[in-house]
Amino acid sequence: MGQLVRAEFSTERALLDRFATVRKVTEELTLPLLAEDFLVSATEETSPVKWHLAHTTWFFEVFLLRRLRTDYVPVKAEYHYLFNSYYRREGPFLPHSKRNVLSRPTTGEIFVYRQTVTERVLEELGSLSEAGFQDSLGVLELGLNHEQQHQELLLMDLKRNFYENPLRPCYRLNHSHGEHRPRPPVWHHLPSGLIEVGVAKDSGEFAFDNERDRHRQWVESCMLSAHLVTNLEFLEFIDAGGYANPLLWSSDGWDFKSQEKWEAPLYWERDQRQWSCFTFSGMVPLDLSAPVVHVSFYEAAAFARWRGARLPTEFEWELAATQRPITGTFLGDGDLDPAPPRLSDDLFSQIHGTVWEWTQSAYRPYPRFEEHRQGLGEYNEKFTVNQFVVRGGSSLTPRSHYRPTYRNFFYPHMRWQFAGIRLAKDLV
Amino acid sequence: MGQLVRAEFSTERALLDRFATVRKVTEELTLPLLAEDFLVSATEETSPVKWHLAHTTWFFEVFLLRRLRTDYVPVKAEYHYLFNSYYRREGPFLPHSKRNVLSRPTTGEIFVYRQTVTERVLEELGSLSEAGFQDSLGVLELGLNHEQQHQELLLMDLKRNFYENPLRPCYRLNHSHGEHRPRPPVWHHLPSGLIEVGVAKDSGEFAFDNERDRHRQWVESCMLSAHLVTNLEFLEFIDAGGYANPLLWSSDGWDFKSQEKWEAPLYWERDQRQWSCFTFSGMVPLDLSAPVVHVSFYEAAAFARWRGARLPTEFEWELAATQRPITGTFLGDGDLDPAPPRLSDDLFSQIHGTVWEWTQSAYRPYPRFEEHRQGLGEYNEKFTVNQFVVRGGSSLTPRSHYRPTYRNFFYPHMRWQFAGIRLAKDLV
Amino acid sequence: MGQLVRAEFSTERALLDRFATVRKVTEELTLPLLAEDFLVSATEETSPVKWHLAHTTWFFEVFLLRRLRTDYVPVKAEYHYLFNSYYRREGPFLPHSKRNVLSRPTTGEIFVYRQTVTERVLEELGSLSEAGFQDSLGVLELGLNHEQQHQELLLMDLKRNFYENPLRPCYRLNHSHGEHRPRPPVWHHLPSGLIEVGVAKDSGEFAFDNERDRHRQWVESCMLSAHLVTNLEFLEFIDAGGYANPLLWSSDGWDFKSQEKWEAPLYWERDQRQWSCFTFSGMVPLDLSAPVVHVSFYEAAAFARWRGARLPTEFEWELAATQRPITGTFLGDGDLDPAPPRLSDDLFSQIHGTVWEWTQSAYRPYPRFEEHRQGLGEYNEKFTVNQFVVRGGSSLTPRSHYRPTYRNFFYPHMRWQFAGIRLAKDLV
Amino acid sequence: MGQLVRAEFSTERALLDRFATVRKVTEELTLPLLAEDFLVSATEETSPVKWHLAHTTWFFEVFLLRRLRTDYVPVKAEYHYLFNSYYRREGPFLPHSKRNVLSRPTTGEIFVYRQTVTERVLEELGSLSEAGFQDSLGVLELGLNHEQQHQELLLMDLKRNFYENPLRPCYRLNHSHGEHRPRPPVWHHLPSGLIEVGVAKDSGEFAFDNERDRHRQWVESCMLSAHLVTNLEFLEFIDAGGYANPLLWSSDGWDFKSQEKWEAPLYWERDQRQWSCFTFSGMVPLDLSAPVVHVSFYEAAAFARWRGARLPTEFEWELAATQRPITGTFLGDGDLDPAPPRLSDDLFSQIHGTVWEWTQSAYRPYPRFEEHRQGLGEYNEKFTVNQFVVRGGSSLTPRSHYRPTYRNFFYPHMRWQFAGIRLAKDLV
C-alpha cells in the first residue's frame, strides 16, 4: 500500500481532492434511499443515516475548522450537542438511543450543513501556507478516515434497520455471483518467529493510534486456513446441534445466545424448505459457497472449537496478510454482501476485503501507545476493554481506507458488522 | 348533546358526510408537519404520525370492508401485520416498540392507502340498501369515533415526540390568551342521592361499550370545586416541597416518582429566573392562570391530599357535568394547549373540554357490560385493569366525539395525555 | 362477631390477655422450623420468618411504648432501621430486598427482643389508670391485628420460600381430607337495592381505617355462586386452552402471564400422569374437589370470562357474607391448605375462611375515609392504587382477627396469598 | 516452589495427608461463624458459606469417587442438582441466584456430607495400588486446589455478605499493624527480551490448564513499580477528582462507574472527619500506608492513567515475579485484610501474596492450550472471554496453593476480590 498512498498524499492538492471525493462518496451512498429512510434506527447499536451525514460533518467543524480560526462560528450552535457521538471532552451529547428522534434538522438541512462545512474546509485549507497546512494535515487525514469508517457504518446500520422493517426493503437490485464450487479445506503453515507488527510512530503514513507503535511479537508455529468458513460449513455446525451444545461455547457466549435465542447467524431465516438470508437486495436464498458473515465472536469461537480449531491471533493474521497483495472486494467493487471467492484468489483467499475476520485477540493498546492529539484522545483508546479485534476489512470498507495493520474491534456479542471466520490451529 | 347528534345521524347520507369529514380532518392535522416528522416516536407510549394515519384506515378495512364483502381483497396484505394495534383476534401484529422503523411504506403510500379505503367505504356504503346500511352503521360509527380518538392521540404523541428533540420544534405559532386573573376557590355542593349514570343499551345513540349499561349509583354528599387547579396552585405545591414529602403520595406513586426523578409536571422546565413549559408553539413561559396539565394520577392525588381534598369519583363528576351545557374548548376551537377560563365560564368552569379531569375511580366495566360485537370485543374491555378514569374531554378532543358520559382511561403514571385536576371534598 | 368481640375487649385485662396470646401464637407458628429456615426469603414479595418476628415487635415498640414514655430507650437503636417495613415517617429503612442478609441479629436475639418488648408492654399497660389505658387501646388493638396479619404473612411467605428449595421441605405432616364429591353448580340471587357496607366511624369495635366509614352502596340485581371454584373446574379451564386464548384475558394479564410463562396456578406441577401441588406438607396429588387457590386476579378474571361469568364486586360479596354466620376454616382449625367444603356447609359455602375471594373491585378508600391516627397514617391508605380487594379470610387467617367487612388487597399479578374464586353473574 | 512441592507429592501418603489437611482448613475457616451466617448471600457474585462447604465436597464425589467405582452411590442424589456450580456436562444445576434459599439441607447435614466424602476418598484411595493411584492423582490434586480456591472465595464472599448487613458483623477481632511510613516511589527496569512463561505440559508439577503450555513471549523494555499503590495514593486520586473525569476512564468503565455511582473503592465510607473501611474486623479507620484493595480493573486503569502510567501485562509481571522468592502474606500468615509492607520486603515489595495485582492482559488461553481431562473441561476455558488476569495471590490465598505462574481472572467491574494495583510504564 505504502507507495501508492504516499504519492496520493504527496501534495496538499491531492489531499484536498481526496477530501472532496470522500465527502461525495458518503452522499452518493444515500442515493437509493427514500426520504423516510434517513431517520430510522431500530437497535441500540445503529444510528440513522442522517445522523451519520451530520456527525461526520461535525467532526470536521469541531476538530479542524474550530482549530484553524479561534473566531470560528459554528454553522448551528445546537448541532454541537446533537452530533457529538461520544467525545466527553466536548461536553454533554445526545444519548445514542435518542438519535432517531431528530426529524429536525431535516435531511435537507443536513445536506446544506455538509456542503457548508465541506466548502469551508476547502476554502480554509486552500488558503493556508504549506507550513500551516502541514499542521492541519493530521486532523484532515483523521477526519477523512473517520468519514470512511462511517461509510461502512452507514451501510451496516442501514442493512440492520431495513431488516427490522417487516417489508424488508431493498437497497439495490440483486446481482448474481455465478456458480462456485466449494473447495476442499487447505491449511498453510506459519513458522514460529519474532515478527514486527503495527505501524512505526515516525512512519509518516496515516494510521490510527491503535496501530502504533510498531513492535515485536513472538509468534508460535501454527496453521492458518487458506479459506474463509463458508455458509455451507456453518450450516453443518447448525445441523450438528452446535447451538445446543454448551461444551462448545464460552460461558458468556452460552448465556448470551440462550437469552437472545440465537439459532443461526443474524439475517438468516429458515422456512420449511430452505434457508434464506437478508441482503442489500432483500431476502435471498442462502448462497452456500459464500463466506459466512454476521456471526458474533461467540459463534465464531464455538464453530472453531467444534472443528477442533481456534481463531487466529491478530499477530498470526497480520503475519499472513502482509505477505499478500491487497486484492479483494472492497466498497465500490460491486458486491456489498460477501460473495464466494473468485477463481483467481490466491494463497490466503479473501484475506483482504469481503469480511472482517474475528481474531482471538482482545482489543488492547500496543506497547508505547499514544492517543491521537488535538483533543482526539477519545477516538480509540477508551474502547480497549471487553472488545475483540477483527482484521482484514470487508466489502463495505473503502479500499483507500484500508491497511493490513488496520485493527477494527467489536464486542463479542455483536453481529451487525460484516464479520466472518478464518480458522487457525496449533501445531502440537 | 342528544338531539343534535340524532339529527346528524338521522340519514345515511349525513353519516357518510361525517365519515368523509372526519377522514379529512385527520389529514389536515398533519399539514404543519415536514416529511421527516411523520416517522418519529420517542417513547413507549407514543406512535408515529404515519402509523396513526395507517392504523385508522386499517380499522375500516378490517372491520367494515372485509365484513361487507367476503371476497374483499386488502389494499396490501402486508399492512394487516403492520397496522393492527392490539387486536389479537386478528393475529400477530408489529410490536408497539417497532412502529418507528416503518420508513416504508412511505408517507405517500399511506396517504394513497387512506384515500383508497375512504373511497371504497363511500362506494360500498353508498350502494347499500337502507337495511344493509343499518347493519353496518354500528361499525361505521365506531370507526369514526375510533379515528377521532386517534386525532387526539396523534396530537398528544406529536407533542411528546417533538419534546424529545432538543431543537423543540413548533407545530404552529403561539397565540396569546390575554390577561386572566386567578379567581378565589369556590366549592359547590353535590347532595347525596341515587343517580343514574352511563348510557342505556337501547338508547340508540352512539356510545362506547364502556359507557353502558345505564345504571344507578348512590352518591354521598360532597363538595366539588368550581375551577380546575391552575399552574399557580400547582407551583405552590412544588414550592411547598410536595414532590419531596412521601406522606402525600401513594406508595406506588412515590416509588415511580422517585425512580423517574419527577419534580414538576411533564414539559415543565425551570431556569434560574422562571418556569417555562413546552407547548405546540415550543417552549413558552408558564401561564400561571392556565389549568395545570400533564400531571399523572399520582401527582393529582398527592396534590389533592396536600390541599386536604381528594379527586372526585367518576359518578360525582358525571352528576355535576350532566347539569352543564357542553360549552368549552375542544379540538378546532383555537387553543391546543389549555388556556385559562374565559369570563363567561359558568358554575363548573371548563368542566367540558380543555383538560381531561382525573377521577379517583379505577376503570372497571359497568354492570351488565357487553363488549362491542363484530370482532371488536378487544376495543375497551381488556384494558379495565390498573387504569383510572378521566372525564370531560380536552382541547384536543373533537367536539362531535364528546359526551359527558365519555370514559377515557390511563395508567396512573401516564402524563403525556392532556389531564388536569378538579378537587372534591367529603362533607364530614 | 360483634358481641363476642365486645365481650373480649370489655376489660383491659382481657385485652392484655389477648395481647399475650397473640404474641405467643406467632412464636408457636415457628416451632416446626429448623434454625436455618428463619432466614430464607426467595422472592421480592416475601420476608424471612425472623424478620416477621422482629417487625411485629418493633411495631409495639415504636407506636406504643415510645408514645407511653417520652424517655423510652429502644431495646437496640439499630433495630429501628432494620425492622421498619415501610413507614417513611419513621425515617429510612432497610430495603425489602435486603431482609434476607440479616444473619445478625440472630434468631435467638430476636426472640429475646420479642420477650423484652412483650413484657414491657404488659408492665407499662398494666400499671396505667383506666383513662390512660383507654388512650392506648387503639394502638394496642391495631398492634394485635397487625401481628395477626403477619401470622398469615409468615405462613404465606414460608410456603413460598420452601417451594423455592428444590428439596421441597414440609412444614408438617399431611392430613387427609377424606372423600368429597363435587356438587353441581348452584347460583343464588342477590336482589338489587341500597345497602350499607363497612364499619361506622363511631362503632366502637375494632376495624381498620379502610373499612370505614359505613356508607350506602347501590347494588344491582345479580347471581352469586354458592360454591368456590374447585381445582377440577380450574383444570377444565387449563385443558380447554384457557392460558393460550388472549380473548379471555385483560391486556395486562395476558402480557404478565406470557412473560412469566404461567400455565397453571402457583405451586401446581404436572408430570406425565397427573397434577400435583405444593402444600405445607410438601408435594401432594392435586385434590380435585378442593377450592382452587394461588391464582392471580388475572387468572381469576380470565376463568370467570371463560365461564361466561364475572367476579363479584366487594359490595355484592359483603351483602351475601353478612347474612351468613361466621363458620369455616381459619388458622388453628386444622387445615392450612384449603380443603373441600364439609357437608354441613351452608347457603354460600366457605364464604368465610378457607380462601380469600378475589373481587372485581379496585382497592380504593371509602367515602369519608380517615387514616389511622398516631403516626400510623401509612398503614393502609398509601396502597390504594393498582390493587384489588379480596374478601373472606383464609385458612391462615386467625379467626379472632376476621370480620366480614375486612378488606384485604393484593396486586392483580400476585399469587402467593391464599386467594381463590367465587363467580358472579349479571341478570340481563 | 518446585522442590518443596515435589517432595510433598512424592508419595501417595503425603498427598492424602494434604487432602485431609485442606478439608480441615476449610472447616476451620467457619469456626468464627454463628449458625445464621452460613446461609447469607447478598449479591449476584457471592455464595453462602454452606454452599461452598457442600460444593467442594460434591466436586470430589463426582469427579473422583464416581470415577473410581462405577457402582458408586452418591450420598444424596438431590445434591447433584444443588451443589453443581456450572458444569453443564453434569446436567442442569440450581441457578447461582438461588443458592441462598437452601435452608435445607441444614449446615449440620452438610458437615456430615463433608465428613462422609472425606472418609470415603481416604478409604478408596488408601486401598488403591500405586498404579491405580497414579491414575487418580490428577483429579485429586485438582480437587485439592479447587477446594483451596474456595477457601479464598468463602472468605471473599463472607466479607461481602457481612458488609451488606447494616450491623457490620466482625469475623474476628482487629489486630494492629504498627506504624508504617510510606516510601518514595521506586521504579525498576525490565529489559526487553524473549522470555518463557507458563508451565510446560510435561512438567510433572501441578498447575491449572490455563497456565499451560510454557511458551515464549517477547517483552518490550519497561519500568515496573517497586511497590503496590497505597490507600494514600488512591485517596489523592479521589481528591483530584479522578472519579469525575471521564478522560481517565475507558468508555465501559465510565458507564459502569456512573451507573453504580462509585466514588471510592468497595468497602470505603466517608464521614465528615475521615475515611474508614470495612474489614474482617468490622469498620476501621482507613490505613493510609496499606495497599489499596477492592478496586475494579476500571478503577485500576483510570488510576494508572491519572499517574501517567499503565498496568503491567501478565508477562511483564511474571518476568519480575519469578525472580523473587515466594515470601509475603498468604492465608494463615496473620493478616486477612491487606497490611502495609514489612521493612524486610525486597526489590518488588509484596509481589507475592497480600493482594492480587490487576494486569492489563485480557484472560485468554495460552498457545497449545488443552483443557483439563476427565470431564473437567469446563473448569477454566469457558471463562476466557471478557475477563482480565490478576496475578500474585492475596492474603486469603493458601500459600501451598500458589505459584508465580498462577493466572486468576475477574470481570473488569468486579471489586469483591482482593485485588490491588502495581503500576508499569513504557520506556519511550
Side-chain angles (χ1 to χ4, degrees), chain C residues 171-375:
Chain C
Y171 178 73
R172 64 174 191 186
L173 289 188
N174 203 0
H175 88 182
S176 165
H177 305 307
E179 279 287 314
H180 294 270
R181 245 167 306 145
R183 279 166 290 180
V186 176
W187 298 88
H188 296 303
H189 179 239
L190 298 183
S192 66
L194 197 60
I195 65 169
E196 293 212 335
V197 296
V199 177
K201 280 189 183 171
D202 57 359
S203 76
E205 295 171 24
F206 176 79
F208 286 115
D209 52 5
N210 65 18
E211 298 167 65
R212 298 197 150 102
D213 191 7
R214 187 157 179 86
H215 66 285
R216 280 164 286 189
Q217 283 282 347
W218 177 263
V219 169
E220 300 275 311
S221 180
C222 70
M223 306 295 281
L224 193 66
S225 173
H227 306 120
L228 293 171
V229 170
T230 62
N231 285 331
L232 176 62
E233 291 173 288
F234 203 84
L235 203 49
E236 288 164 1
F237 170 74
I238 296 176
D239 291 342
Y243 278 89
N245 180 359
L247 302 179
L248 299 175
W249 295 72
S250 64
S251 182
D252 286 3
W254 180 258
D255 291 347
F256 198 89
K257 170 209 83 69
S258 302
Q259 184 193 303
E260 298 292 314
K261 301 192 175 61
W262 287 347
E263 299 184 347
L266 177 63
Y267 298 133
W268 287 34
E269 296 188 352
R270 176 167 28 191
D271 70 9
Q272 284 129 340
R273 294 188 309 177
Q274 68 167 8
W275 284 93
S276 56
C277 72
F278 184 67
T279 68
F280 281 102
S281 310
M283 294 302 300
V284 300
L286 191 66
D287 181 345
L288 295 178
S289 57
V292 70
V293 65
H294 297 301
V295 289
S296 64
F297 173 88
Y298 294 137
E299 288 158 300
F303 176 87
R305 190 176 164 104
W306 175 70
R307 284 281 291 271
R310 59 169 175 82
L311 301 174
T313 68
E314 61 170 322
F315 308 118
E316 290 162 354
W317 188 95
E318 189 168 326
L319 172 58
T322 48
Q323 298 166 12
R324 313 305 312 156
I326 302 179
T327 58
T329 306
F330 289 92
L331 183 61
D333 291 348
D335 293 310
L336 286 179
D337 294 288
R342 302 193 203 108
L343 290 186
S344 58
D345 268 358
D346 60 12
L347 189 57
F348 289 111
S349 155
Q350 299 180 309
I351 200 163
H352 305 295
T354 304
V355 294
W356 294 99
E357 305 181 15
W358 280 113
T359 74
Q360 64 153 273
S361 299
Y363 175 51
R364 300 289 301 144
Y366 278 174
R368 297 180 298 278
F369 171 85
E370 282 173 16
E371 62 192 24
H372 287 305
R373 298 214 179 80
Q374 298 162 331

Side-chain angles (χ1 to χ4, degrees), chain B residues 154-187:
Chain B
L154 185 156
L155 290 170
M156 281 157 59
D157 289 3
L158 188 70
K159 183 172 178 182
R160 186 76 186 83
N161 291 325
F162 270 6
Y163 181 64
E164 289 299 310
N165 187 327
L167 299 182
R168 301 282 158 82
C170 287
Y171 178 73
R172 64 175 193 184
L173 289 186
N174 204 0
H175 90 182
S176 162
H177 307 306
E179 279 286 314
H180 293 271
R181 246 167 304 144
R183 279 167 290 182
V186 176
W187 298 88

Side-chain angles (χ1 to χ4, degrees), chain D residues 126-312:
Chain D
S127 65
L128 281 179
S129 69
E130 190 172 327
F133 194 94
Q134 278 305 318
D135 197 42
S136 298
L137 184 128
V139 177
L140 182 60
E141 277 183 320
L142 187 58
L144 279 185
N145 279 278
H146 173 260
E147 179 137 358
Q148 288 182 309
Q149 289 185 309
H150 277 274
Q151 289 169 2
E152 178 154 8
L153 279 167
L154 185 155
L155 290 170
M156 282 158 59
D157 289 3
L158 188 69
K159 183 173 178 182
R160 187 76 186 82
N161 291 325
F162 270 6
Y163 182 63
E164 289 298 310
N165 187 328
L167 298 182
R168 301 284 161 79
C170 287
Y171 178 72
R172 65 174 191 184
L173 289 187
N174 202 3
H175 90 184
S176 163
H177 306 307
E179 279 288 314
H180 293 269
R181 246 166 304 146
R183 278 166 289 180
V186 175
W187 298 88
H188 296 304
H189 179 239
L190 297 183
S192 68
L194 197 59
I195 65 168
E196 293 212 334
V197 296
V199 178
K201 281 191 182 170
D202 56 0
S203 74
E205 294 172 24
F206 175 80
F208 286 114
D209 52 5
N210 64 17
E211 298 167 66
R212 298 196 149 101
D213 192 9
R214 188 158 179 85
H215 66 286
R216 279 164 286 191
Q217 284 282 347
W218 178 264
V219 169
E220 300 275 310
S221 180
C222 71
M223 305 295 282
L224 193 66
S225 172
H227 307 119
L228 293 171
V229 170
T230 62
N231 285 331
L232 177 62
E233 291 174 287
F234 203 84
L235 203 48
E236 288 165 1
F237 170 74
I238 295 176
D239 290 342
Y243 278 89
N245 180 0
L247 302 179
L248 301 175
W249 296 72
S250 64
S251 181
D252 285 4
W254 180 258
D255 290 347
F256 197 89
K257 169 208 83 69
S258 303
Q259 184 193 302
E260 298 291 315
K261 301 192 175 63
W262 287 348
E263 299 185 347
L266 178 63
Y267 298 134
W268 287 34
E269 295 188 352
R270 176 166 29 190
D271 70 10
Q272 284 131 338
R273 293 189 311 178
Q274 67 167 11
W275 284 92
S276 56
C277 72
F278 184 68
T279 68
F280 281 103
S281 311
M283 295 302 299
V284 302
L286 190 67
D287 181 344
L288 295 178
S289 57
V292 70
V293 66
H294 296 302
V295 289
S296 64
F297 173 88
Y298 293 138
E299 288 158 300
F303 176 87
R305 191 177 164 104
W306 175 70
R307 284 281 292 269
R310 60 170 174 82
L311 301 175

Side-chain angles (χ1 to χ4, degrees), chain A residues 159 177 287 290-294 335-340 354-355 395 418:
Chain A
K159 183 173 178 182
H177 306 305
D287 181 345
V292 70
V293 66
H294 296 302
D335 294 311
L336 285 179
D337 294 289
T354 304
V355 293
S395 51
F418 284 63

